[in-house]
Amino acid sequence: MATLKVPTQTPSAAEDAEQLHKAFQGWGTNEALIISVLAHRNAAQRKLIREIYNETYGEDLLKALDKELSSDFERSVLLWTLTPAERDAYLANEATKRLTSSNWVLMEIACTRSSRDLFAAKQAYHARYKKSLEEDVAYHTSGDFRKLLVPLVSTFRYDGGDVNMMLARNEAKILHDKISDKDYAHEELIRILTTRSKAQINATLNHYNDTFGNAINKDLKADPNDEYLKLLRAAIKCLTYPEKHFAKVLRLAINGLGTDEWGLTRVVTTRAEVDMQRIKEEYHRRNTVTLEKAIAGDTSGDYERMLLALIGHGDT
């Protein structure tokens, strides 16, 4: 469930574009006006505002925002203003660069988006970077990481709820056999996790737990410091219990040595229109403090106000 709060009666895109243009005029920028508009419009509305702004003022809204804003607030506004597909394409591209490389972000995008959303992100990647996400992931990764990540970003899973229980039983045994042999990058293990529907994977892992007495991620902790196994466990969590993954990312971003603003911004901007309500509930359950309180205690100014608006704090 999303936390984005959109007013019942919203101004036209032309009126919103005009308000944003006014926010850039005169001495200083009216950040509060920018938040009041953009943090309370859905993806389709933001896309239309960008189109109207460009038509009316002859400038890309993103470039105007880039000139007027700075620091973490700028990054949060720019990421949020992109369409979900554009945002995922940008995040994935950043994750393949040497200085900002992140197998975790690539895995997160591949495992927590619907098949259509992942496909749309790959189309946006083609359009913006003139190459495929798959080729960049293959080029910038190696070894077991490449074996896992390339099929993850290449897949188009069935998104329905139909489950084959016989198949789940058989594939639970395959997974257990490969894990018992410590063959964590075996092609059959990777095939199951990268091609089966999320509903089918859930059924398979329930069989695994019931038959072999352990949750699969417990059996994958043979070497807690192995980076590939960490990524594999996180992929399974993202496929089966994404709010738990995101709540952990937020906790580490907020409670770590210095705030990880990039991780915090990424999760809030990518999940506010999807499942942030469930993430907030999971965060509260595991940390005994609300996400609103945690963000307010660790951020400040317009950046804090932008994040709190996106997670549904306060009135529209």
Side-chain angles (χ1 to χ4, degrees), residues 16-238:
D16 280 340
E18 184 182 356
Q19 288 299 305
L20 290 169
H21 188 64
K22 282 181 182 175
F24 306 146
Q25 305 304 302
W27 296 100
T29 305
N30 188 339
E31 290 87 353
L33 183 54
I34 293 169
I35 294 170
S36 73
V37 174
L38 291 177
H40 298 288
R41 301 293 183 272
N42 62 34
Q45 291 169 328
R46 298 193 306 275
K47 185 172 185 288
L48 189 55
I49 291 167
R50 276 176 66 191
E51 291 168 0
I52 299 290
Y53 192 96
N54 197 10
E55 290 171 12
T56 307
Y57 302 106
E59 182 180 26
D60 186 342
L61 176 59
L62 293 172
K63 288 185 177 176
L65 290 165
D66 186 42
K67 284 192 298 189
E68 295 293 330
L69 308 180
S70 63
S71 194
D72 298 317
F73 176 55
E74 175 191 3
R75 175 174 272 180
S76 65
V77 172
L78 289 177
L79 265 185
W80 175 247
T81 305
L82 293 168
T83 67
E86 290 172 329
R87 187 191 305 127
D88 281 345
Y90 170 76
L91 290 170
N93 185 254
E94 287 291 296
T96 62
K97 291 179 179 176
R98 188 166 63 86
L99 294 177
T100 51
S101 66
S102 174
N103 292 332
W104 286 73
V105 171
L106 293 170
M107 175 281 299
E108 188 178 282
I109 291 169
C111 294
T112 63
R113 277 40 168 185
S114 69
S115 294
R116 291 188 183 281
D117 288 344
L118 179 57
F119 184 68
K122 291 191 284 188
Q123 287 179 308
Y125 201 98
H126 283 192
R128 179 164 180 176
Y129 302 109
K130 312 306 177 193
K131 49 189 173 175
S132 74
L133 174 59
E134 293 89 337
E135 69 180 285
D136 271 356
V137 171
Y139 181 70
H140 290 284
T141 57
S142 60
D144 290 346
F145 293 101
R146 180 189 286 166
K147 287 182 188 176
L148 177 64
L149 287 169
V150 172
L152 274 179
V153 299
S154 304
T155 194
F156 191 86
R157 299 176 194 272
Y158 170 61
D159 266 337
D162 299 80
V163 166
N164 181 327
M165 298 308 284
M166 180 76 75
L167 183 66
R169 191 175 298 112
N170 292 340
E171 293 193 333
K173 184 178 186 308
I174 292 171
L175 291 174
H176 186 260
D177 289 347
K178 301 313 169 191
I179 292 169
S180 297
D181 293 341
K182 298 192 182 328
D183 198 352
Y184 304 119
H186 191 279
E187 61 181 20
E188 281 293 272
L189 183 148
I190 287 175
R191 173 190 65 78
I192 293 165
L193 295 178
T194 61
T195 65
R196 294 302 184 200
S197 72
K198 293 175 183 179
Q200 185 68 39
I201 288 172
N202 264 304
T204 298
L205 298 188
N206 285 337
H207 267 294
Y208 187 105
N209 196 357
D210 293 344
T211 305
F212 304 109
N214 265 344
I216 190 170
N217 271 2
K218 189 170 182 182
D219 286 344
L220 286 170
K221 283 185 178 174
D223 181 355
N225 297 316
D226 184 297
E227 291 300 320
Y228 170 73
L229 285 183
K230 286 182 186 177
L231 186 70
L232 186 60
R233 292 196 302 272
I236 291 169
K237 193 179 292 181
C238 282

Side-chain angles (χ1 to χ4, degrees), residues 1-3 108 112-113 237-238 241-252 254 263-292 294-295 310-311:
M1 184 180 164
T3 51
E108 188 178 282
T112 63
R113 277 40 168 185
K237 193 179 292 181
C238 282
Y241 196 171
E243 56 266 38
K244 187 175 181 181
H245 165 79
F246 287 117
K248 182 178 180 180
V249 173
L250 289 170
R251 177 176 58 79
L252 293 174
I254 293 168
L264 178 57
T265 301
R266 184 184 81 248
V267 174
V268 171
T269 56
T270 58
R271 309 314 291 180
E273 287 184 277
V274 185
D275 56 358
M276 182 53 76
Q277 187 58 44
R278 287 200 297 273
I279 294 167
K280 283 169 60 176
E281 290 165 4
E282 181 71 15
Y283 187 94
H284 193 192
R285 190 171 69 82
R286 291 185 166 270
N287 299 282
T288 66
V289 63
T290 64
L291 181 59
E292 287 91 340
I295 288 175
L310 292 179
I311 67 167

